[in-house]
């Protein structure tokens, strides 16, 4: 990290940046009211910090060892002082602001008609963002992989339904990019690109998605520590895209015997992410529990832990869903959930 | 499980019980308004259910395979119908009722003076039960093991302070029994006996503690699945003691690298315990996080998940604490926490 | 799964395949001496098995629910009867045969000179396959990502060194494909394509790599159960490529506190893979332990468990390695290890 | 740790010990050929090391922070220099010597006749120590808990059978102590006291068992890190009993889905224990895998990893066993296993 003097000139700044590049690293410049910070992208061991400290305009040059420095609250010029979360704007929705944001929709996009019905229900219930899987990651190659896996035409059609639903019901739309080759097509149609849990460690996919320049919903792997999660989020930031929405969706249960839920929602992830980074964090209680009857409780808990929003699977007729039928709630249930969550958010934010 | 006919006579009931004993099992009789259920303690494979079905007064006799049938909501006569939680009364406090219950105190009892000050602070903040460790389970034999480990006189003295603090501030008191040989002494002084996380699997200790006839605060091991937790709670119930307060206190973090908390609070444990059993469940955010700055968030989350109360470590001067200094909050912080938690409880219970 | 009658005609077989396609599934035909089995790729719920049972030439048609049926020993025509492992031939090396195969090389390809020296040492020690990372998966975007990440020219150059080393020392060569876009280039230069632990769940990458038609070294994720590992290996087989070499490389340590190794080598993976599938399985003790002083013990243990070979990181000057210096052994150490392992293999195979 | 000068007098040594006691700690004196080391039992923070350094006869006094210093190779006078393992002698058997030791027997003692038959078979197969559970730890209170749980008379009888079998077949005998109150009785009858996996963290039980003065077979908990395992073993050593036989018996499987074995045998535990401590370590493949068909492979692997012996469940008629029938092997299978293991031991010890 290199901190410039308050009165450093633009020329001095550019000179430092050029010197950094000569050492084989890239830079991430963050200009604040009182100082400019140059973050270093790459291995800082190649940087002669003593030499950099002596360059004109430099106030301080030192090694930062945390693997997620670009997204960290501690090394950020803009967010550090104010203790604030980055506000990510999508259409007129603000993720990371005072109000929680609700993402809802079916696990998989199955037909235009079903999608429109669900979108309408989600909108009426108070959700602002519509989600729906076109490319579905599945544990078995023999399971339904989403309409997108059937071919490019099917993918394009399903994506266009999502876009149309978003326009018709004034919602932002989001879907998952499961492989690098899908990024271009998906980015044409949706407002937020999702990287799913199973791809959390897939650094080439992260870079490809990041370069599309749209907000990225980034889900934690079910076996990843928080340090790993934040360190891999840094792959997105390193491409210059800091519109990263973190998402906790449950970790692998412990011990022998029945766990009663698909995953264990790790809600301490919420305050930890908010302290360690300036990024907003959401929670997905649907995949975490896999149980419709636990979604209300775990949504309330997530909100009380300080989450910036929720991602909930919803279906007008859960029994009909091709994927994850057992964890879908209906629009009226979603409405009650959103109403209670908004009240809890107010209560804990007063603190 | 043997269900008696509505009009079965006492004699018929006693005959069935006698037959069960002849098969080498014990019984747990639960009389309800409409029917009497005989739970079977032991291996049901030795029971000829067809024969039992034909005994006078028997409506139904069938094998129940769940390892925690005595505490399960499903096989309980009393709690099943009403969907209620068992109310455990300690002094005038009700655990499992409409209002959440707060247990507070230092990790370890260190001196009479410090204990009295903390008890006063906890009481003022709204806590109803005072906790303090006399026998401390520790990962290293070279660490402070609590005053109780110094000898019987020291244990008796520390326990008498607890009792005195309870009387002076009108609180119930609770402490941990770490080994079988401590149960008699501890039971003389306190209202609730605690079995700690590290002893969760210790079935002989569970039976010994259960037989004292006082409510048992039973903490989940950090590596135990919910099924294991409930199955071992059954060792307490099998001694005829169903005043069991379950407690979630965090499970082992996943993945490689830094987890930022000592344990991962598994809050889905709360609604699961409330659905699977008729027992109340509390949450200990202090040991779970090990971080003072996360206790507020995780307490709110636990309450929103439906917990029947919280157990929080509190100290009038956290920096002075011999054990767990980094996770203690002060009485004023506790007061704010309790106030918010009571509001969250109201909000989610309306559902 | 559809089993044809012994005397079924080619026409009958083709008719059944056509019917399967009409149901939206693909087929995997395996002709044995006594019968032909048609494996079904896709969701078998769409198949009317009663109807298929009645088609001419069909002996039996039934649903197979295992998610890894194409690679399973149980449903394989060819390997089931004989209890044998599939032999994968690379140049004149047989993986899965009587003799264990040793893969050795540096973690990352760093320079042509260093690579040639290491290749020579590995060959002299008895290794048959040379490995070297060109694209390195790393937990931090700020760490060295391999020469391949510097650009296509650098990647091509590093890959050509590998190829040249293979030719010069008569070894097969192998490197990792970290992202879909790298598969074409890598496949031009090497004999075996590796999919690393962090990409285990990346189904689009698996399909892309599989379609190159070369043997795939497929490493288990450190958080994956054996069922997940085998289920995702099926993504490779579903593309028609069954030259899959499984590789166990350690799972996440359990519990609190120091584990002393980077991962826990799960050696039961070896006999399980050999019973559940007909694929060969190797073990990577270097990444599993992260400790040079444990590699000998864990290599011997892997061999005694029945592994078909080992993948070991070797360097002529471990202290100089840019990545994973602490887990590299020298060629003379490798020689001793290979010699002992060959003896252990003989001893346990006699059984 | 306080290291005395080579020529320090006995008086000087005693003076230092007295001073340590004045600080509230206990001592563990280890006299070697060249120096005497005083290990400190308790919290070393209470020791003024500068003052101790100045006492007559003291060469060096410094804090040792490892929680398992009494059993560590690093701080041990006797074993450090020679790189040797402590030899624990039971009757004429040496555990920790050049030859591996085999413990075999049924999971639970069921009848005198069955036990005698199994003991004879185990002896013929080459096992030197007979094991059999009298008090069985079980996950469900409704399962068979061993004859010992039926009452003191039954326990005494079952223990006397064990003793008699040991005498008749010239084997040492071993059984588990599950609760503190069982230690006295068990110690009258057997040569080695076992503390099972589920009691690993039970520090009061560890101290009670240690004080019986007999060798302790100490099994790792399935959720414990190696650091925890060694730290709790220190509770035994702190009572002055260093005849501790460590035992790896599998840790909790990772990930979602089927694991195929009950636990994951963590064989790196073997070389780690041998490096970190001077204690011998054995492996229990029966409980680890829970599968008869994997015991041969995992036994060979354990031996190749350097284990000092194995503990294997054996039964003359596996199908009849009341507990763990699926993981029992027969005496002839045991014989083949032992023969191969002895050869592997020779092979790897040559290194």
């Amino acid at each position: 990290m290199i901190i410039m003097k308050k009165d450093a000139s633009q020329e001095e700044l550019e000179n430092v940046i050029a010197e950094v590049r000569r050492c084989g690293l890239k830079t991430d410049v963050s200009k604040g009211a009182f100082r400019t910070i140059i973050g270093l992208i790459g291995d800082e061991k190649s940087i002669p910090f003593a030499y950099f400290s002596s360059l004109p305009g430099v106030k301080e040059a030192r090694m930062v060892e945390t693997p997620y420095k670009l997204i960290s609250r501690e090394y950020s010029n803009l967010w550090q002082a104010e203790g604030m979360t980055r506000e990510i704007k999508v259409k007129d929705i603000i993720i990371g602001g005072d109000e929680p944001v609700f993402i809802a929709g079916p696990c998989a996009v199955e037909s235009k008609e079903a999608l429109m019905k669900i979108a309408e229900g989600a909108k009426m219930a108070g959700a602002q963002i519509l989600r729906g899987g076109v490319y579905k990651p599945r544990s078995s190659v023999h399971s339904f992989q989403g309409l997108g896996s059937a071919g490019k035409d099917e993918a394009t059609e399903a994506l266009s339904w999502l876009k149309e639903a978003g326009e018709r019901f004034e919602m932002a739309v989001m879907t998952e990019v499961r492989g690098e080759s899908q990024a271009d097509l998906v980015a044409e149609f949706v407002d937020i690109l999702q990287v799913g849990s199973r791809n959390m460690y897939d650094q080439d996919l992260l870079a490809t998605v990041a370069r599309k320049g749209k907000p990225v919903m980034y889900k934690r792997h079910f076996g990843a520590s928080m340090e790993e999660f934040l360190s891999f989020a840094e792959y997105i930031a390193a491409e210059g895209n800091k519109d990263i929405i973190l998402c906790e969706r449950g970790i692998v249960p412990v011990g022998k015997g029945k766990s009663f839920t698909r995953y264990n929602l790790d809600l301490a992830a919420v305050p930890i992410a908010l302290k360690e980074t300036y990024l907003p964090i959401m929670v997905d209680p649907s995949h975490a529990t896999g149980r419709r009857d636990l979604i209300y409780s775990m949504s309330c808990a997530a909100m009380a832990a300080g989450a910036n929003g929720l991602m909930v699977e919803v279906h007008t007729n859960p029994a009909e869903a091709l994927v994850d039928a057992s964890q879908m709630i209906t629009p009226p249930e979603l409405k009650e959930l959103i109403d209670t969550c908004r009240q809890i958010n107010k209560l804990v934010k007063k603190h």
Side-chain angles (χ1 to χ4, degrees), chain A residues 112 116-117 162-171:
Chain A
K112 184 172 173 180
M116 292 296 162
K117 262 208 263 180
L162 259 184
K163 189 180 166 74
E164 190 181 328
E167 284 161 359
R168 195 187 299 176
F169 300 104
E170 297 187 316
M171 300 174 87

Side-chain angles (χ1 to χ4, degrees), chain A residues 163-194:
Chain A
K163 189 180 166 74
E164 190 181 328
E167 284 161 359
R168 195 187 299 176
F169 300 104
E170 297 187 316
M171 300 174 87
V173 296
M174 177 177 98
T175 202
E176 178 165 352
V177 179
R178 202 186 53 201
E180 287 173 64
S181 58
Q182 301 150 7
D184 285 345
L185 181 66
V186 171
E188 280 178 45
F189 290 91
V190 304
D191 306 297
I192 303 174
L193 302 174
Q194 179 183 322

Side-chain angles (χ1 to χ4, degrees), chain A residues 302-313:
Chain A
M303 205 50 51
N308 298 102
L310 297 175
M311 175 150 77
V312 182
E313 293 199 350

Side-chain angles (χ1 to χ4, degrees), chain A residues 247-259:
Chain A
C247 184
E248 161 64 24
R249 47 78 75 204
I251 52 176
V252 179
V254 293
K256 298 291 296 178
K258 213 175 154 186
S259 68

